[in-house]
Amino acid sequence: DAGVTQSPTHLIKTRGQQVTLRCSPKSGHDTVSWYQQALGQGPQFIFQYYEEEERQRGNFPDRFSGHQFPNYSSELNVNALLLGDSALYLCASTLNRVEAFFGQGTRLTVV
Amino acid sequence: AQSVAQPEDQVNVAEGNPLTVKCTYSVSGNPYLFWYVQYPNRGLQFLLKYITGDNLVKGSYGFEAEFNKSQTSFHLKKPSALVSDSALYFCAVRDGDNDMRFGAGTRLTVKP
């Protein structure tokens, strides 16, 4: 079992650009959540996908959007990048919404 | 609304001594409580959870946590700390259908 995998591991983008991050959930898991972890802070909930629909959303602007595919994998898209979007982006998957298993994260740097 | 507080940014203990990392929570219903550990440049690793049942929950790597409903706390404990336990620890709470909310984290340093 490969667990939760995220790609890419590191990414550098310029302000104003758009970025897509990808996540493959743990085998058998049907729910994917995305979190943003700024340096020195705890993870902040962005949104959750289940059955290819956004089920819950945290306090993030519409520049943050996502998608879930029929195989349960997911993408996080961020448009019009700001310097403040620099963070570690974590994907987590769950089954029956009990404990979440996290990927290694994608480190996004906006310059 | 659900929330978690980790009152200590940093906890320092000597190797072999017991450790406690504190967590308090606020939810409107029955809480699901979690502890995760994060090593540098890594994702979060699940340690243990409380859903229902015994107030003392045992988890990975010798860690345990005690659920106290009256004090709305879920402190993480280990009887004998190891240098390799040094890491960032996060408490999280989920209330019903809501997704998890995390505390700000506590950096544990275990000195030889």
Side-chain angles (χ1 to χ4, degrees):
Chain A
D1 183 2
V4 180
T5 58
Q6 293 186 241
S7 62
T9 54
H10 295 83
L11 202 52
I12 300 175
K13 289 286 189 178
T14 304
R15 271 184 302 175
Q17 285 188 317
Q18 179 265 345
V19 68
T20 298
L21 310 182
R22 295 177 175 82
C23 172
S24 293
K26 184 177 172 65
S27 178
H29 285 190
D30 57 5
T31 303
V32 173
S33 299
W34 287 92
Y35 293 82
Q36 180 195 65
Q37 186 180 17
L39 200 61
Q41 297 184 22
Q44 300 294 314
F45 173 65
I46 303 175
F47 42 56
Q48 182 187 81
Y49 276 85
Y50 173 71
E51 292 188 342
E52 302 180 51
E53 291 193 358
E54 183 182 292
R55 179 158 63 177
Q56 292 181 48
R57 189 178 183 93
N59 189 25
F60 278 79
D62 292 345
R63 298 186 297 108
F64 289 76
S65 63
H67 189 76
Q68 186 179 36
F69 299 93
N71 66 354
Y72 306 126
S73 66
S74 177
E75 289 182 349
L76 164 65
N77 301 291
V78 187
N79 294 323
L81 284 166
L82 304 173
L83 295 179
D85 295 331
S86 296
L88 181 67
Y89 288 85
L90 296 165
C91 170
S93 71
T94 64
L95 178 63
N96 298 326
R97 309 187 72 209
V98 187
E99 71 264 26
F101 290 83
F102 284 80
Q104 300 284 63
T106 294
R107 172 72 64 187
L108 173 64
T109 302
V110 182
V111 298
Chain B
Q2 54 191 22
S3 65
V4 173
Q6 293 182 241
E8 302 159 316
D9 293 336
Q10 175 93 29
V11 170
N12 297 314
V13 298
E15 187 175 30
N17 283 359
L19 68 88
T20 299
V21 182
K22 296 180 180 178
C23 170
T24 60
Y25 66 90
S26 174
V27 297
S28 55
N30 291 321
Y32 291 3
L33 293 157
F34 307 86
W35 276 101
Y36 286 84
V37 60
Q38 186 176 36
Y39 295 97
N41 299 313
R42 303 290 294 276
L44 274 65
Q45 189 173 332
F46 173 76
L47 281 178
L48 51 80
K49 68 178 183 288
Y50 172 82
I51 304 298
T52 186
D54 288 341
N55 290 342
L56 185 63
V57 178
K58 293 189 182 296
S60 306
Y61 312 118
F63 284 93
E64 59 189 28
E66 185 169 11
F67 171 65
N68 188 316
K69 188 172 183 178
S70 63
Q71 297 185 4
T72 61
S73 67
F74 189 57
H75 300 332
L76 180 71
K77 299 181 180 184
K78 188 173 182 181
S80 180
L82 299 172
V83 172
S84 57
D85 293 329
S86 298
L88 195 53
Y89 289 81
F90 291 99
C91 181
V93 65
R94 185 162 69 78
D95 174 12
D97 290 337
N98 292 317
D99 207 84
M100 284 193 299
R101 296 295 184 268
F102 285 84
T106 298
R107 183 164 300 283
L108 172 67
T109 301
V110 182
K111 298 183 178 179

